[in-house]
Amino acid sequence: MFRNYFKIAWRNLLKNKVYSFINISGLAVGMAATIMIGLWITDELNYNNHFKKKDVIAQVYQSQAINGDVGTGPAIPRPLEFILREEYADNFKHIVMSSWEHPRYLKYGETNIYTKGNAMQEGGPEMLDLKIIEGVKDGLKEKNSIMLSKTSAKTLFGSDAAVGKIIKVNNLDDLIVTAVYNDIPENNSFNEMDYLIPWKYYVTKQPWLENAIDHWGNNSFQMFVQINENTTMEAVTSKIIDVKKNASVDEAEFNPQIFLFPMQDWYLRSDFENGVQSGGRIENVWLFGIIGLFILLLACINFINLSTARSEKRATEVGIRKSIGSQRGQLIFQFLSESFLIVILSFVFAIGIVLLFLNGFNNLASKVIVFPWTNIQFWLVALVFIIVTAFLSGSYPAIYLSSFNPVAVLKGAFNAGRYSSLPRKILVVTQFTVSIALIIGTLVVMNQIQFSKDRPVGYDKEGLIQIPVMSNEFIGKAEVMRTQFIASGGAIEMATTSSPTTNVWSNRSGYTWEGKPVGFQEDLAYTNVSYEFVKTLGAKIIQGRGFSRDFPSDSLGVILNKTAVEYMGIKDPIGKYIRDADTDVENREPPLKIIGVIDDIIMQSPYSPVKQSMYAFDNVGTASFYNLRLNPEKSTAKNLEIIKNVFKKNFPDTPFDFQFVDEEYGRKFSSEERIASLARVFTALAIFISCLGLFGLASFVAEQRTKEIGVRKVLGASISQLWLLLSKDFITLVVIALLIASPFAYYIMGQWLQKFSYRVSVGWDVFAIACFGALIITLITVSFQAIKAAIVNPIKSLRTE
Amino acid sequence: MIKITDLEKYYKTEELQTIALNKLSFEVKKGEFVAIMGPSGCGKSTLLNILGMLDDSDGGSFIFNGEEVIHYNERKRANIRKHNIGFVFQSFNLIDQLTVFENVELPLIYIGVKKAERKKKVYEVLEKMQIMHRRKHFPQQLSGGQQQRVAVARAVVNNPKLILADEPTGNLDSSNGNEVMDLLTELNKQGTTIIMVTHSEHDAKFSHRIIRMLDGQKVIENSLI
């Protein structure tokens, strides 16, 4: 029986090549898109799967309310560690303090690399299950030790053994390699952690780190924990939630809440809104999951529409089979078998398409997805996928076709009925509703990105580079380097900053100023800068001036941005003071005099308002970056060559590392650009599949109306009239789809835009483009068949009847 | 074998109701060859479709092999049909995508005959119909006469007790038509009951009895033996 079914199905496929092509290619493309999205979603959901203990590992997070706005993040104060160890130890298997991932120079012999790593407490390697391939797991026990990743060990020592070797860190300290661990794979937290140094080494490197030991207000550290098996994240959180509030009277006013943020959620659910977890990347997973299903649905709709449209051709067969004794169930089974055959064929092609485009997809999505040939789970899911697709596309046609009355169809009086094409019309409208909504969505995403890109950044980011100088050997050299860089002609100006131009690394509070409202809790972005900061960046002075060597008192000066002046409510700020509010007079820092106000510069998210910021003069040499304005008279390559030479002359053993500020800024858009690129591809696929279906239906309608067209031509209809006759039904359907899709997309995209403070409005132009685009695409698709049918000699078309 | 009593069938449209069968009654005994004649629209084909259990009646009784089948559902009717009834249509109604062999094989598949047995039976019947040499051809590669022989082969391959033939020679020339009628006569001689709808007086003469219909009613019955 099966053979018979497949035989008929196969012969039908061969006989109706155009329809077979449309069905199989549409389904294959749809299935390929769904498979790729499925692989992408699996990859996203498997983030951090490398860590066997991911169910019991958490990062300690903190929420604080500043002026009623609750901010949440991973930065915690040092003393928290001691309270947790002393009073809550029985809840934890490990408590591990950690620095932020930070690049350092690692030098062995002539090899000097600049790479990222963390400082951690001893339990870190065990908690993270680092796979030790050389040395010992407790490699952070001694203060002067270092653990290296396989890659960094290989770069430094080649194939030689690493353990026992001494490497120089930041050209300053000698640390002994105690272990080499396997690299943590991509798609996991800590995957860029190329080395681990002991926490006890790290905290002695700067006075402020040591001072932080009992400073509850210094939220500059990370803490990871592994909870005991007999407890839960929620239970531990409920115990520790108020520890900071209870421990520090000063901090209690910010209502700090300490909680465990499970590793499970780090990647996909990392957003917090007003102290409450509010999603994150998981929304993209849902979004693309839904898009994937829709694309598959579009392909299934093609199958349904073409099968039912062509039902007349199968009607006789149904009649014969019924008269011979076939039951309806057997016919349903037969037609389902056909759809299975087509779906299986399409799946094979879909796998081919996936293999062909997986690299491109990986580039687009910034992934390293490998096709899971040997993953049994994948093939089981694929089987279910085939079955579901076959049922989705085959059920309705099977039920419809098997319902024909044998008497009527064998008599040749096949009449599908007045409303028989209604389901098809509804399905075409569904297809175009989805496609048009995707077009509108993609346009809005692209507009939002462009809108944010066009936003004035407040400085000239072109021709500006930053050189990281976060090691001790650079201390005190900034002035000399500035002189040399300018003298070399590679740069025309240089300024140092304590954080990159494209980020804020420090936030401060605890100030007072004239007119400060009672109870106002300030939160200011804080950056230390050198004299030529304003000039180097090309920032715009609104009031006062920039730092100047002509005014020795500028060493205690501060520049505010426009937002800070409004935020702090200072009238006529120039010459006024911002004072340390510390009640302990001896510890109080000297007041800072406001010498200038600059226009806002975007250092953080280009989608959010610029944060109130202060730029204080760096009189202790805490520079983290040299910012160089390249010489516009020379080419970039030449400038870089000159700058590199100057750098190497002064720091011969240090690798020359730099970033273009405009490129760093551009990275802020990468996440949204990735979404836009993926959305563009999937929208194009949705349109392609929908048009394929429309093309098939148009050719069917043209074929069905051959006689009518012939008669109309004989009676004097022109080609354009016939073209209109055949096209207008489809245009009507697309217009209906437009009317449904537009308000829907308007609402959804309006919701999406809410997450950006700086956002574009969904304008009429987006709908006009989508509308125009959809109609043009439809016309092109349909017209080919319509014109082909209209130009046939009527005598020929009438004779064939 | 067949007994119909007061069989009724109406066709309704929005505006009018047409009576296709008007309290029709007759009986067909096992082994008979009955021809049904009458002008177009008299209800012949409707009758045949009801006898073949492809269509429902609107009233009356239909006893097949001693069983009242009038209220049977589709599944039961399909079951009786596939074991007992063979159809021969005016327009052959072969499945274009299947070869001669596969078309003839089809009824055997539906009654669950094993593959080897099927092959044997199909070959036998193809031999008998003298189209063995065409078994690998598709219907459109055959002449009308050959196609109808395939259709007859398909109708008889599972040894049905009853063959319903609807204008079996209607699309054939006289020579091919005669061949088909000879085939039906031969089958009848071997015990198969045949009910044939026809316009042709010539074909009707091959039968034992002619039932003439008008406006859904039996008007006359002539015995030819």
Side-chain angles (χ1 to χ4, degrees):
Chain A
M1 187 95 79
F2 258 125
R3 260 190 71 201
N4 186 277
Y5 292 162
F6 279 119
K7 215 181 293 174
I8 287 229
W10 183 248
R11 285 172 192 167
N12 268 327
L13 281 180
L14 294 181
K15 193 177 165 199
N16 307 296
K17 291 192 180 69
V18 175
Y19 293 104
S20 306
F21 172 78
I22 292 173
N23 265 337
I24 293 175
S25 62
L27 268 176
V29 170
M31 290 178 96
T34 313
I35 292 169
M36 281 207 227
I37 290 175
L39 291 174
W40 179 81
I41 289 177
T42 312
D43 199 69
E44 290 284 282
L45 295 178
N46 283 340
Y47 200 90
N48 275 339
N49 255 12
H50 173 73
F51 300 106
K52 290 192 198 91
K53 301 175 194 158
K54 76 172 195 174
D55 296 347
V56 285
I57 294 176
Q59 179 160 19
V60 178
Y61 262 52
Q62 177 179 207
S63 289
Q64 292 192 95
I66 297 174
N67 284 332
D69 290 331
V70 181
T72 303
I76 50 108
R78 268 192 81 182
L80 182 64
E81 177 203 351
F82 308 115
I83 291 211
L84 295 192
R85 281 197 199 280
E86 281 158 25
E87 297 177 23
Y88 302 95
D90 54 341
N91 293 285
F92 301 105
K93 180 104 189 280
H94 289 291
I95 294 175
V96 178
M97 290 296 288
S98 170
S99 69
W100 305 96
E101 208 164 67
H102 197 61
R104 287 181 177 81
Y105 296 100
L106 306 182
K107 189 181 171 200
Y108 178 76
E110 293 303 304
T111 317
N112 198 352
I113 57 173
Y114 186 62
T115 189
K116 286 179 184 171
N118 290 54
M120 270 194 196
Q121 287 180 322
E122 285 164 45
E126 197 191 319
M127 180 180 77
L128 298 178
D129 257 327
L130 293 187
K131 190 159 184 273
I132 305 296
I133 47 178
E134 199 186 333
V136 291
K137 197 154 213 168
D138 56 351
L140 299 176
K141 220 162 157 185
E142 301 301 327
K143 188 180 166 189
N144 61 341
S145 54
I146 183 166
M147 295 173 76
L148 297 175
S149 73
K150 191 178 170 187
T151 303
S152 51
K154 205 173 170 206
T155 316
L156 286 168
F157 309 114
S159 52
D160 294 348
V163 171
K165 299 248 165 59
I166 294 172
I167 55 179
K168 210 172 242 326
V169 175
N170 278 349
N171 282 322
L172 197 71
D173 297 315
D174 290 333
L175 300 184
I176 302 170
V177 179
T178 51
V180 176
Y181 54 87
N182 254 349
D183 293 352
I184 295 173
E186 291 266 352
N187 214 28
N188 286 285
S189 302
F190 306 107
N191 65 41
E192 289 188 329
M193 191 175 73
D194 268 339
Y195 62 86
L196 271 173
I197 52 171
W199 174 256
K200 49 194 163 199
Y201 162 80
Y202 166 71
V203 290
T204 58
K205 292 320 293 172
Q206 302 267 356
W208 74 268
L209 291 169
E210 282 186 292
N211 293 341
I213 198 162
D214 55 358
H215 200 325
W216 281 99
N218 187 344
N219 301 304
S220 302
F221 307 94
Q222 297 191 91
M223 187 196 279
F224 299 98
V225 297
Q226 180 185 335
I227 58 167
N228 272 328
E229 274 162 20
N230 56 6
T231 187
T232 62
M233 299 278 175
E234 294 76 21
V236 179
T237 292
S238 67
K239 288 179 194 167
I240 64 170
I241 194 156
D242 287 329
V243 285
K244 183 174 172 183
K245 194 155 74 178
N246 297 336
S248 166
V249 181
D250 289 345
E251 295 297 315
E253 64 170 315
F254 300 112
N255 190 26
Q257 307 232 297
I258 303 293
F259 66 95
L260 300 189
F261 183 45
M263 191 182 226
Q264 301 263 33
D265 289 354
W266 289 0
Y267 183 71
L268 288 174
R269 296 175 184 84
S270 58
D271 288 358
F272 287 86
E273 209 171 292
N274 234 355
V276 181
Q277 209 173 352
S278 65
R281 287 189 182 87
I282 191 75
E283 285 154 20
N284 292 343
V285 171
W286 279 110
L287 176 73
F288 283 105
I290 290 170
I291 290 179
L293 283 180
F294 270 130
I295 292 180
L296 185 65
L297 184 72
L298 299 186
C300 291
I301 287 178
N302 279 357
F303 185 95
I304 294 169
N305 275 350
L306 292 179
S307 307
T308 54
R310 301 184 60 251
S311 54
E312 202 172 334
K313 308 226 170 208
R314 300 297 296 272
T316 316
E317 184 191 333
V318 171
I320 296 168
R321 283 185 183 269
K322 279 195 169 176
S323 69
I324 287 172
S326 172
Q327 285 165 3
R328 191 170 173 197
Q330 285 172 308
L331 283 167
I332 290 177
F333 192 67
Q334 178 191 343
F335 289 118
L336 275 178
S337 316
E338 287 191 18
S339 54
F340 260 95
L341 178 73
I342 288 172
V343 170
I344 289 168
L345 277 176
S346 307
F347 179 76
V348 172
F349 284 114
I351 295 289
I353 295 172
V354 169
L355 291 174
L356 208 60
F357 291 102
L358 194 56
N359 271 344
F361 180 74
N362 274 334
N363 287 339
L364 206 65
S366 297
K367 288 272 178 197
V368 276
I369 297 168
V370 181
F371 192 82
W373 286 112
T374 52
N375 186 338
I376 294 172
Q377 231 175 348
F378 169 79
W379 293 108
L380 286 176
V381 172
L383 186 68
V384 174
F385 177 55
I386 289 172
I387 294 170
V388 169
T389 311
F391 271 101
L392 205 61
S393 50
S395 299
Y396 176 69
I399 291 167
Y400 178 72
L401 288 167
S402 63
S403 70
F404 293 152
N405 179 344
V407 176
V409 294
L410 290 179
K411 218 187 264 172
F414 177 83
N415 183 359
R418 197 194 300 176
Y419 299 110
S420 69
S421 63
L422 188 64
R424 273 201 295 285
K425 287 179 178 166
I426 293 171
L427 291 175
V428 169
V429 169
T430 309
Q431 275 188 319
F432 273 83
T433 302
V434 172
S435 301
I436 292 165
L438 282 173
I439 295 176
I440 295 171
T442 308
L443 288 174
V444 172
V445 174
M446 285 163 65
N447 279 359
Q448 169 65 13
I449 293 171
Q450 199 51 48
F451 182 68
S452 308
K453 276 187 171 172
D454 292 345
R455 182 180 176 189
V457 289
Y459 66 99
D460 183 7
K461 60 186 186 331
E462 318 292 329
L464 190 63
I465 63 163
Q466 57 186 30
I467 302 172
V469 289
M470 284 166 284
S471 83
N472 299 39
E473 64 186 315
F474 293 102
I475 293 175
K477 302 259 178 72
E479 276 302 307
V480 178
M481 290 308 293
R482 174 178 172 265
T483 312
Q484 289 190 23
F485 281 135
I486 295 173
S488 71
I492 55 168
E493 196 47 275
M494 181 190 119
T496 66
T497 47
S498 59
S499 46
T501 317
T502 50
N503 211 341
V504 171
W505 281 359
S506 179
N507 294 292
R508 290 211 176 173
S509 58
Y511 292 107
T512 181
W513 59 90
E514 186 190 314
K516 180 182 178 183
V518 179
F520 187 80
Q521 298 166 320
E522 72 281 2
D523 174 31
L524 294 148
Y526 181 91
T527 312
N528 278 121
V529 301
S530 66
Y531 281 117
E532 286 77 18
F533 170 69
V534 171
K535 190 178 168 198
T536 306
L537 260 66
K540 191 179 156 203
I541 295 272
I542 298 176
Q543 288 181 62
R545 57 179 175 80
F547 294 110
S548 166
R549 292 165 199 277
D550 299 336
F551 298 90
S553 63
D554 275 6
S555 63
L556 288 174
V558 66
I559 295 172
L560 299 180
N561 70 353
K562 196 171 79 179
T563 301
V565 174
E566 286 159 15
Y567 172 80
M568 296 164 88
I570 307 176
K571 283 188 186 139
D572 302 323
I574 305 302
K576 293 199 171 144
Y577 286 90
I578 298 175
R579 296 170 199 279
D580 187 349
D582 199 333
T583 46
D584 182 352
V585 180
E586 277 182 26
N587 281 338
R588 197 181 283 170
E589 287 178 10
L592 300 172
K593 186 180 175 185
I594 303 170
I595 62 157
V597 176
I598 56 169
D599 203 358
D600 290 343
I601 64 177
I602 303 172
M603 298 178 82
Q604 293 171 301
S605 168
Y607 305 113
S608 305
V610 172
K611 188 172 179 178
Q612 50 282 358
S613 311
M614 55 196 283
Y615 304 92
F617 186 78
D618 178 12
N619 47 26
V620 285
T622 54
S624 297
F625 291 92
Y626 290 168
N627 298 279
L628 277 83
R629 170 67 57 195
L630 300 180
N631 188 347
E633 314 263 295
K634 293 194 174 76
S635 70
T636 305
K638 187 71 192 160
N639 281 329
L640 289 173
E641 191 191 324
I642 296 169
I643 289 166
K644 186 179 178 182
N645 287 339
V646 173
F647 183 90
K648 277 293 186 188
K649 206 171 79 193
N650 286 274
F651 308 104
D653 295 332
T654 307
F656 175 64
D657 188 65
F658 74 95
Q659 294 109 28
F660 288 105
V661 171
D662 56 348
E663 282 180 11
E664 287 297 300
Y665 184 79
R667 276 186 236 282
K668 292 179 185 294
F669 300 92
S670 60
S671 164
E672 279 69 26
E673 280 186 328
R674 210 173 299 142
I675 292 176
S677 310
L678 288 173
R680 267 199 299 270
V681 170
F682 292 125
T683 302
L685 287 180
I687 296 169
F688 169 75
I689 293 170
S690 304
C691 286
L692 211 56
L694 206 58
F695 182 84
L697 277 185
S699 68
F700 162 75
V701 169
E703 186 185 320
Q704 202 183 31
R705 295 174 80 170
T706 308
K707 187 177 175 187
E708 179 196 340
I709 294 164
V711 172
R712 282 177 187 270
K713 270 191 103 171
V714 169
L715 295 176
S718 67
I719 289 177
S720 59
Q721 282 168 325
L722 291 172
W723 166 73
L724 190 67
L725 174 82
L726 290 168
S727 307
K728 72 168 192 260
D729 283 354
F730 291 107
I731 297 293
T732 310
L733 296 182
V734 174
V735 169
I736 294 170
L738 264 167
L739 295 176
I740 299 171
S742 298
F744 176 72
Y746 180 81
Y747 174 76
I748 296 286
M749 293 321 288
Q751 294 291 311
W752 181 75
L753 284 170
Q754 288 302 316
K755 70 176 184 174
F756 305 105
S757 307
Y758 189 81
R759 58 178 176 257
V760 73
S761 56
V762 186
W764 64 269
D765 53 331
V766 168
F767 297 98
I769 294 169
C771 176
F772 187 71
L775 288 176
I776 290 289
I777 291 169
T778 310
L779 269 180
I780 292 171
T781 311
V782 174
S783 296
F784 177 76
Q785 291 297 344
I787 293 172
K788 198 173 130 192
I791 57 176
V792 171
N793 184 340
I795 299 185
K796 200 173 161 195
S797 54
L798 290 176
R799 191 191 296 145
T800 52
E801 274 294 303
Chain B
M1 178 167 213
I2 286 173
K3 185 177 182 191
I4 56 170
T5 315
D6 295 337
L7 204 60
E8 290 178 306
K9 179 75 183 174
Y10 312 112
Y11 291 112
K12 285 175 200 161
T13 63
E14 281 168 17
E15 283 146 20
L16 70 149
Q17 176 176 298
T18 319
I19 300 170
L21 296 178
N22 189 3
K23 294 194 178 294
L24 182 68
S25 304
F26 66 81
E27 200 172 338
V28 177
K29 294 211 164 51
K30 199 175 166 206
E32 261 196 300
F33 187 163
V34 177
I36 296 173
M37 298 192 73
S40 293
C42 71
K44 309 183 295 288
S45 293
T46 303
L47 172 66
L48 208 65
N49 288 330
I50 292 173
L51 295 179
M53 295 179 220
L54 292 172
D55 205 354
D56 290 321
S57 65
D58 292 317
S61 155
F62 171 19
I63 292 169
F64 184 87
N65 258 351
E67 267 181 87
E68 175 61 78
V69 296
I70 206 102
H71 299 301
Y72 275 12
N73 62 19
E74 197 193 308
R75 174 184 285 269
K76 274 189 175 173
R77 292 195 305 206
N79 207 29
I80 295 179
R81 193 158 63 230
K82 70 184 173 190
H83 285 103
N84 298 287
I85 304 172
F87 284 90
V88 179
F89 303 96
Q90 177 179 356
S91 50
F92 324 134
N93 282 335
L94 298 173
I95 296 178
D96 289 341
Q97 286 78 23
L98 296 180
T99 61
V100 165
F101 178 91
E102 289 159 355
N103 263 292
V104 177
E105 186 191 25
L106 210 51
L108 299 176
I109 293 176
Y110 283 125
I111 55 173
V113 177
K114 293 249 161 51
K115 197 180 169 191
E117 178 74 8
R118 285 206 303 264
K119 191 173 173 185
K120 198 175 140 228
K121 285 195 168 187
V122 174
Y123 273 26
E124 268 172 27
V125 74
L126 290 179
E127 287 282 8
K128 203 151 100 184
M129 301 294 159
Q130 296 171 0
I131 40 170
M132 185 65 177
H133 59 295
R134 296 283 197 182
R135 68 185 181 280
K136 288 182 182 166
H137 288 69
F138 287 92
Q140 57 273 38
Q141 296 170 309
L142 305 180
S143 72
Q146 286 170 326
Q147 287 192 46
Q148 194 61 303
R149 269 190 277 156
V150 176
V152 174
R154 185 180 64 188
V156 302
V157 71
N158 60 343
N159 292 322
K161 296 182 181 70
L162 171 69
I163 285 182
L164 298 173
D166 192 356
E167 305 261 13
T169 63
N171 282 3
L172 301 176
D173 59 31
S174 59
S175 141
N176 276 314
N178 281 338
E179 266 184 44
V180 168
M181 288 315 300
D182 288 341
L183 273 175
L184 291 177
T185 310
E186 183 58 33
L187 286 168
N188 178 247
K189 278 184 186 157
Q190 287 163 10
T192 311
T193 311
I194 295 176
I195 300 176
M196 174 179 74
V197 164
T198 183
H199 273 116
S200 157
E201 292 290 349
H202 169 265
D203 289 355
K205 283 179 187 150
F206 286 84
S207 68
H208 303 158
R209 179 156 64 106
I210 300 173
I211 294 174
R212 293 186 191 273
M213 287 177 66
L214 185 66
D215 296 337
Q217 287 179 310
K218 182 173 82 178
V219 286
I220 194 164
E221 196 173 322
N222 316 97
S223 177
L224 301 177
I225 49 172

